[in-house]
Amino acid sequence: MSIALEINSKRSGDWRDELLKLLPGTKIEIYPDIENPNEVEFILCWKPAPAYYKRFPNLKVVQSAGAGIDHLFPESLPEHISVSKIVDPVLKEDMFEHVLTCLMNGMKNFASYAQNKSNKQWNPLAYMTIDQTKVAILGLGEIGGYVAEKLAGMGFDVKGWSNSKKNIPGVESFVGLDELGSAIDAVDFVVNILPLTTQTENILNRDVFKLFKSGSILINVGRGGHVVEDALLEAIENKVIKAAYLDVFHHEPLPEDHLFWDCAPIFITPHVASRTNIASSVKQVVDNYKRMLHHQSLLNEVSLKKGY
Ligand code: OXD
């Protein structure tokens, strides 16, 4: 019995070291150096290659190394394989801080002042305050719900949109495609924290951008696949969207020749809004491995049908 790590980043070694501290003596191998694929029952993944699971005939559990599972090809996984995601207070707090940074930057015009400085221009602009600022959060799962509640607690006027009704203090809840327009109506910032599923892919499209308040700001910390890129560039060109803070993209790293690099109102961060903290997440991975060994249900298991 062994654990395989297929983590498309430089962090595989760190994951293995942390796992070994809690599971001494366990065989933990980093793909492609797998001695016997038949022994692998548990795999920890971040952006594995398509059909990765076919390499391991006795695989029982796929554990995402992040909060999302869209990168695990959930639609093609056989039903007998269980899938779990990371749910970690550190991830939620980091996401809240990133979103707050984008909000405050937009509200206080820091990008304009950076540009004015390079032109030696002294040009005071009108700023927004928290109590005047309306925010819509798309996606009220573990992370989105946390961000919405914290922003509401700070005094932002917060609306939330999700698949099912939510009862979050201070957050007005809107449900389903019929209510998407009401959720984003008249808000200053739209923050996307949705999971990427067949239902939510391309949800930020031309028709939806037409419902944005003129001069509003988009913050995308969900997935690149939520956004129809041409439609976003058009909405920016038409000044419907004043600025966009994008942390996630269709292709990562964002290709050098991508139009977003040269579009001044688009701010690019390299998928860093909230990165899995190995030290605070490793215990739940170990718990899931032990649960699998004892035929118990997993922590933070996701529904493959729903995709989250
Ligand atoms: C995640 C991410 O899913 O970093 O955790 O996007």
Side-chain angles (χ1 to χ4, degrees):
M1 212 163 304
S2 71
I3 299 179
L5 309 184
E6 189 160 343
I7 296 176
N8 186 4
S9 87
K10 295 182 194 116
R11 302 210 290 169
S12 319
D14 297 342
W15 268 111
R16 185 171 59 184
D17 294 348
E18 290 300 317
L19 286 166
L20 277 172
K21 282 186 201 157
L22 299 177
L23 291 169
T26 305
K27 189 167 178 183
I28 303 178
E29 297 169 303
I30 298 176
Y31 178 80
D33 297 322
I34 309 287
E35 192 183 34
N36 179 0
N38 289 315
E39 281 179 355
V40 175
E41 292 189 343
F42 188 102
I43 171 165
L44 174 68
C45 295
W46 180 251
K47 298 195 176 173
Y52 62 103
Y53 55 91
K54 292 191 179 153
R55 285 196 274 273
F56 308 107
N58 297 313
L59 188 62
K60 293 193 180 124
V61 174
V62 174
Q63 167 76 59
S64 172
I69 63 135
D70 51 291
H71 61 101
L72 298 172
F73 306 96
E75 61 296 334
S76 58
L77 278 173
E79 265 176 34
H80 69 272
I81 294 183
S82 306
V83 179
S84 267
K85 62 180 177 182
I86 298 289
V87 175
D88 180 19
V90 178
L91 262 184
K92 300 189 215 180
E93 184 61 24
D94 288 358
M95 184 62 89
F96 161 68
E97 289 185 9
H98 181 92
V99 170
L100 183 62
T101 305
C102 300
L103 290 170
M104 298 308 294
N105 191 60
M107 288 159 60
K108 305 298 178 190
N109 307 303
F110 270 52
S112 303
Y113 292 131
Q115 216 171 357
N116 291 352
K117 180 175 178 251
S118 51
N119 301 327
K120 300 189 179 166
Q121 255 180 9
W122 181 273
N123 182 18
L125 299 167
Y127 55 82
M128 295 166 79
T129 57
I130 288 179
D131 62 335
Q132 295 166 335
T133 303
K134 294 184 169 55
V135 182
I137 307 284
L138 311 185
L140 297 174
E142 285 285 342
I143 299 181
Y146 179 83
V147 173
E149 184 169 355
K150 289 267 293 198
L151 293 176
M154 291 181 74
F156 285 96
D157 183 343
V158 183
K159 298 199 259 182
W161 184 78
S162 50
N163 221 358
S164 57
K165 195 93 187 153
K166 301 285 179 208
N167 200 355
I168 299 173
V171 178
E172 198 181 349
S173 167
F174 293 84
V175 179
L177 277 181
D178 289 349
E179 294 188 7
L180 180 58
S182 310
I184 57 185
D185 181 47
V187 303
D188 304 296
F189 290 85
V190 175
V191 182
N192 176 46
I193 317 186
L194 284 164
L196 185 65
T197 66
T198 42
Q199 277 81 43
T200 64
E201 191 170 10
N202 294 332
I203 194 160
L204 293 168
N205 55 45
R206 203 160 265 113
D207 290 341
V208 170
F209 288 140
K210 282 189 191 137
L211 306 173
F212 276 44
K213 174 179 156 183
S214 177
S216 56
I217 293 180
L218 172 68
I219 300 172
N220 187 20
V221 287
R223 288 288 184 253
H226 289 126
V227 177
V228 177
E229 296 185 334
D230 290 351
L232 174 59
L233 288 167
E234 194 179 294
I236 290 175
E237 171 102 18
N238 298 339
K239 311 255 184 280
V240 173
I241 294 184
K242 183 167 79 177
Y245 292 82
L246 308 180
D247 187 56
V248 284
F249 302 89
H250 282 255
H251 300 288
E252 294 179 7
L254 187 66
E256 255 179 55
D257 59 353
H258 199 286
L259 293 177
F260 284 175
W261 288 114
D262 294 318
C263 178
I266 291 184
F267 297 86
I268 292 173
T269 47
H271 202 141
V272 289
S274 87
R275 298 185 73 202
T276 303
N277 181 307
I278 298 177
S280 64
S281 308
V282 66
K283 185 163 175 316
Q284 64 191 270
V285 176
V286 168
D287 282 355
N288 269 346
Y289 178 65
K290 291 184 177 163
R291 281 165 177 262
M292 179 202 75
L293 296 181
H294 296 109
H295 309 286
Q296 291 166 344
S297 55
L298 300 178
L299 301 174
N300 310 317
E301 187 165 350
V302 298
S303 150
L304 285 183
K305 240 190 221 129
K306 288 207 251 169
Y308 58 91

